Amino acid sequence: MSRTLEYTPGHWLALVRADRVLIVPGDTPPDTVRALWQALASAPGLEWVLQDLLGAHGMDLGRLCPFGMATLDPDPQVLLRGPMALRATSPAGDTEIDGSGVGTWTERRITSAHSLVLGPVPVPATGSGIWWPLREGIVLTGGVRAGQATSDAAPVPTIKTATEPVLAGEPVPFPQAARAAGDTVVPASYETEDASSHGLVEPVNPMEPRTAPDSAPGNVAAGDDTLLSAPKRPLGTLAAAAPTPPTPAAMADPDDLDTILGSAVLKVAAPAPAPVPMPVPSTPTPGLIESTPWTGPKPAAVAPAAASAAALQPPAALQPPVALQPPAAPEGDHDGDTLLRGSLPGRSGAPASASSTSSAGLDTGPLVISRTCAAGHANPPTALRCSRCPLVLEAEVGESARPPLGRMVLSDGQQIELDRSVIVGRQPHSPRASSASMPRMLQVRSPSGDISRSHVEVRLDGWHVLLVDLNSTNGTRLLRPGQAPRRLGTGESVMLFAGDTADLGDGVSLGFEDLP
Amino acid sequence: MSASQAGGRGFTLRHGSLTDRGLRRALNEDALLALDPVFAVADGMGGHEAGEVASAVCIKTLTAAVLEARGTGVPLDPEALQKLMHLADAAIRDAAQSRAGTTLSGAALVNEQGVPYWLVFNVGDSRTYLLHQGELSQVSIDHSEVQEMVEAGQITAEQAIVHPRRNIITRALGTGEDNEADFWLVPVNSGDRMLICSDGLTGEVRDEHIAEVLRRIKDPQAAAQELVEAALRSGGRDNITVVLVDVLAAEPEAGAEDTFPRHLNTTGRPRMTPEGASA
């Protein structure tokens, strides 16, 4: 089954292929059109076509062009953006969907549509104007209409398929048969409008890198300020060597820089040729910044997880491609990295955060010293029997992923498994954290405002659960069976045991169960 | 238990964004993503087109994941984002043979124990700020040498702004090393405004001036444009990229069942014309 198709001439580009219609602006670059033409045939769904279209706009939704796309099946799926609309006739009546006024795009599925017209607003009326038959191909159009689904056996005079896309700036190829039959008239070619020729800022299109105006060999690449350095490098090392008030000439000498940073990398960034006069800000002329090669850090000996990390990220060397070497064995030192990162004396190796996420098993916590049972359950090193099964623990103590450390039960009945730290408050926010150490945020109601925004943290530390006051205004009371209630001082932390309750005020309390 | 699938959010997002090559650079190596629920800025570095490739590949990786997450309804969390960044890291090294890298900073709207939160993420020295009740605060913390010096008490924040080594960053995506992101969870409040920008803005425009613009200009696109213009006026030595996201109190439901979240900007927005660019 397919629908009979017709189009009315206009200035938009309609791509019709594989029972899909896509309409984009007439000035869409040829490469983009070609990619979309392929996508229409190969994409599993319109979303994929959309993604290619987004990709052509640097994945920037704000820059995405207006478009309309629809499938031609009995229940057409429709995606519209900008001044593009679809009018459909279905048993439920006529509907018109408009993409205007939506920052992203409008998506809809129409059940059993008899016929539809897709085109720029206002959608052309089917009863007027010229309508040419169409089966597949790329046409300049003001709208495409699809009739009721019919059997392919019923022949309609159509333009035969052009198998390759018609591209901007090229003559529009038409099958000889169609041309001879004289059943259509289409402009032979059209101009591509280039936004940049209008004095606009060229849109960033990362997929089509612009060439630097001055790209003669020997010239350095466009100013590339940002440099990657080793973490925790002693400041003296480079600061002493840094050229003081730098001049373009001084900075252009790559040998100096190589000596300074010990790396033969990216000869970057002479200042742009003939900089325009402009207001000079109150900052000194940038020094090294404008021209230093970029050196990277090298974690020397990292965590036990280094092997898997290395597998995921083979040693990457910042050096001329010619000099690329096969990755060295993870345990050895290798020259490839030396050029990039290992060249600075006296640097400390390990990066600040060595995240350790466990890979297998149910336990998802960080690695902790533990004693495991024969079934693999991790327990505190001091435990004698497994807390989760009747097995006796092995004598050996090792590292394994930490299981949840019990439960926290709120006064409203909500239960939270303690597999991560939790920050509790009226509107808590987290401190800086890695993905593995990010605590949960638990908001609790505080009608009278007794509870601070970030009030208290239930912190998991090794096999311990701590209650940490976060400088709350009204404090937290710890209720422990058999003991007098006790108020935590500002910033104080205490170790929690099963059966403890923390009272935050305003009727909110946290009970702790099954702690190790 | 917890984690209700947030159907109606109770607020809407409205965003504006702009990127500009600046006045000195031949290329724009910045890239941005403004695709609800993720907003991000990547600032590429590396010779020739490598930086451009790095930031573009990074944003493309993120975008694909955002679209997929929207399709499957699986929410993003720090671990998912960290995995994504590792993916982007590998993709950049693949595309640029480790000659390039990129920063990445941004914010993703996530569901935290049933409550909407901004998950702010950062690698490098692009920044994410929060304007809350008129007060601007920097949420992300740079991975840069000067930041380390500030934290070590060796220089003041004021000195960091003009320090000659202020552009040396300590982490990036695409270099294969030191690519771990930092994360923050920040509550979502109506009236709040998130600013995500490359150092082409913060290197040219002081925080007080940024805050003044963000308080004064309500429309996010117009505010983004004003910030970019301010950076150009004070030199525009680097690429400048600004993404602004406003959290607005929910409007009455407009029967938008099958429409993606509504923001009212972007189409046909104005473009900058940097007069005097050395073109």
Side-chain angles (χ1 to χ4, degrees):
Chain A
M1 296 279 278
S2 69
R3 294 175 182 273
T4 58
L5 285 180
E6 291 173 306
Y7 77 98
T8 186
H11 303 292
W12 292 70
L13 270 178
L15 294 76
V16 180
R17 195 178 193 188
D19 275 339
R20 292 164 178 165
V21 181
L22 168 62
I23 299 184
V24 291
D27 62 357
T28 304
D31 284 352
T32 306
V33 175
R34 199 184 289 275
L36 293 170
W37 176 253
Q38 294 299 337
L40 280 177
S42 58
L46 286 188
E47 298 80 5
W48 279 259
V49 180
L50 172 63
Q51 201 179 328
D52 279 20
L53 192 59
L54 251 176
H57 293 82
M59 290 296 173
D60 176 5
L61 196 61
R63 192 169 282 116
L64 181 60
C65 66
F67 65 81
M69 55 176 105
T71 57
L72 295 174
D73 49 41
D75 303 326
Q77 183 192 1
V78 186
L79 274 74
L80 301 166
R81 173 179 168 86
M84 187 65 69
L86 179 122
R87 189 166 56 233
T89 313
S90 65
D94 286 6
T95 31
E96 183 155 336
I97 311 160
D98 192 332
S100 307
V102 178
T104 49
W105 58 83
T106 300
E107 183 169 4
R108 201 74 69 89
R109 188 174 282 281
I110 298 159
T111 22
S112 33
H114 289 319
S115 61
L116 23 123
V117 187
L118 177 66
V121 177
V123 179
T126 47
S128 62
I130 305 167
W131 290 88
W132 300 111
L134 172 67
R135 180 166 288 172
E136 239 179 27
I138 303 181
V139 291
L140 278 170
T141 184
V144 173
R145 76 182 180 200
Q148 187 142 21
T150 58
S151 154
D152 280 338
V156 189
T158 53
I159 298 174
K160 271 312 267 185
T161 308
T163 48
E164 282 306 313
V166 177
L167 297 177
E170 294 174 9
V172 179
F174 262 103
Q176 288 302 320
R179 199 173 291 182
D183 59 0
T184 188
V185 181
V186 175
S189 68
Y190 58 92
E191 295 296 318
T192 308
E193 272 199 2
D194 184 351
S196 60
S197 67
H198 299 305
L200 300 174
V201 165
E202 296 166 71
V204 182
N205 186 347
M207 314 320 290
E208 287 185 342
R210 279 172 282 168
T211 319
D214 191 349
S215 56
N219 260 317
V220 284
D224 194 65
D225 274 352
T226 308
L227 311 171
L228 182 64
S229 84
K232 304 195 174 98
R233 180 189 306 141
L235 297 172
T237 316
L238 283 177
T244 35
T247 64
M251 293 188 297
D253 185 349
D255 291 329
D256 282 352
L257 295 170
D258 290 350
T259 315
I260 295 164
L261 292 174
S263 73
V265 289
L266 296 176
K267 303 290 194 298
V268 288
V276 259
M278 61 191 60
V280 179
S282 59
T283 59
T285 318
L288 258 185
I289 305 159
E290 291 245 304
S291 63
T292 321
W294 141 42
T295 67
K298 167 180 163 52
V302 208
S308 62
L312 183 71
Q313 302 157 4
L318 183 66
Q319 59 183 3
V322 188
L324 277 175
Q325 297 171 350
E331 66 272 17
D333 200 353
H334 38 79
D335 292 345
D337 275 9
T338 314
L339 280 175
L340 170 59
R341 328 181 153 89
S343 51
L344 296 163
R347 38 196 315 279
S348 64
S353 69
S355 72
S356 52
T357 43
S358 72
S359 48
L362 296 164
D363 299 339
T364 55
L367 293 177
V368 286
I369 301 290
S370 56
R371 197 177 285 219
T372 53
C373 73
H377 297 141
N379 283 272
T382 49
L384 299 173
R385 294 196 152 271
C386 181
S387 61
R388 288 185 273 178
C389 65
L391 294 171
V392 176
L393 295 170
E394 293 168 10
E396 292 291 310
V397 169
E399 275 198 325
S400 51
R402 183 179 62 198
L405 300 182
R407 277 186 318 279
M408 180 165 81
V409 183
L410 272 76
S411 35
D412 67 1
Q414 190 182 347
Q415 297 200 3
I416 292 180
E417 195 171 55
L418 294 174
D419 55 352
R420 285 174 176 270
S421 299
V422 185
I423 297 182
V424 188
R426 196 156 39 82
Q427 208 182 34
H429 57 269
S430 79
R432 169 164 59 176
S434 72
S435 60
S437 67
M438 176 60 81
R440 298 185 192 289
M441 302 294 113
L442 180 63
Q443 287 196 4
V444 292
R445 290 223 170 82
S446 177
S448 57
D450 285 353
I451 299 177
S452 297
R453 287 162 61 87
S454 291
H455 192 99
V456 74
E457 177 177 1
V458 177
R459 184 181 299 166
L460 309 193
D461 182 3
W463 285 95
H464 302 306
V465 182
L466 306 177
L467 184 68
V468 184
D469 177 75
L470 299 174
N471 301 324
S472 64
T473 309
N474 294 309
T476 300
R477 281 194 319 156
L478 175 64
L479 312 174
R480 181 164 289 168
Q483 293 187 14
R486 164 177 174 212
R487 178 173 291 276
L488 262 69
T490 301
E492 188 185 351
S493 65
V494 292
M495 205 205 296
L496 289 170
F497 298 103
D500 284 352
T501 301
D503 178 11
L504 279 63
D506 242 346
V508 174
S509 65
L510 316 167
F512 297 91
E513 298 179 355
D514 289 342
L515 304 195
Chain B
M1 203 169 81
S2 58
S4 69
Q5 271 301 337
R9 277 175 179 171
F11 57 87
T12 53
L13 297 182
R14 187 177 180 213
H15 70 265
S17 62
L18 193 61
T19 182
D20 194 283
R21 192 182 52 182
L23 302 175
R24 295 265 189 101
R25 300 301 180 80
L27 298 171
N28 190 343
E29 298 191 321
D30 287 359
L32 66 89
L33 172 65
L35 183 59
D36 191 341
V38 180
F39 303 86
V41 168
D43 178 355
M45 55 187 188
H48 290 284
E49 288 146 8
E52 222 181 14
V53 170
S55 57
V57 166
C58 175
I59 293 293
K60 185 166 183 170
T61 306
L62 266 185
T63 305
V66 173
L67 289 175
E68 191 189 332
R70 292 194 341 179
T72 59
V74 177
L76 291 166
D77 61 22
E79 283 177 345
L81 267 171
Q82 182 63 71
K83 275 185 193 145
L84 260 177
M85 288 186 222
H86 285 154
L87 259 177
D89 183 82
I92 294 164
R93 278 182 292 129
D94 201 39
Q97 290 83 44
S98 299
R99 286 178 295 118
T102 186
T103 72
L104 179 67
S105 191
L109 196 64
V110 298
N111 182 330
E112 175 67 22
Q113 308 293 307
V115 177
Y117 260 83
W118 285 116
L119 175 60
V120 173
F121 47 93
N122 184 58
V123 184
D125 68 348
S126 294
R127 288 181 180 174
T128 299
Y129 288 83
L130 169 69
L131 185 77
H132 175 67
Q133 296 178 348
E135 291 294 316
L136 185 69
S137 55
Q138 185 181 333
V139 179
S140 64
I141 299 173
D142 297 351
H143 296 131
S144 68
E145 279 201 356
V146 289
Q147 178 61 36
E148 289 182 355
M149 293 181 212
V150 170
E151 284 173 14
Q154 289 157 337
I155 59 171
T156 65
E158 283 296 304
Q159 289 168 326
I161 296 172
V162 295
H163 197 279
R165 296 182 64 80
R166 67 186 178 277
N167 286 34
I168 299 182
I169 64 174
T170 52
R171 293 191 208 176
L173 296 179
T175 63
E177 310 276 8
D178 269 355
N179 56 10
E180 294 295 311
D182 286 333
F183 293 91
W184 295 261
L185 280 166
V186 178
V188 176
N189 283 297
S190 287
D192 282 1
R193 173 171 265 191
M194 304 294 295
L195 162 68
I196 306 152
C197 59
S198 60
D199 64 337
L201 176 69
T202 49
E204 301 284 7
V205 186
R206 303 291 292 262
D207 283 6
E208 307 84 76
H209 186 182
I210 292 174
E212 183 274 320
V213 171
L214 293 180
R215 282 190 292 261
R216 176 163 50 87
I217 304 181
K218 292 295 169 228
D219 177 71
Q221 189 61 39
Q225 174 137 0
E226 173 56 29
L227 289 176
V228 170
E229 279 172 5
L232 290 172
R233 280 197 297 270
S234 65
R237 279 159 293 190
D238 200 349
N239 310 141
I240 308 144
T241 301
V242 173
V243 174
L244 280 178
V245 193
D246 288 344
V247 181
L248 304 173
E251 298 157 2
E253 274 294 302
E257 287 264 287
D258 40 10
T259 298
F260 279 93
R262 207 167 265 271
H263 347 246
L264 305 168
N265 66 331
T266 56
T267 38
R269 68 211 179 134
R271 292 271 162 82
M272 300 291 307
T273 308
E275 298 297 338
S278 58

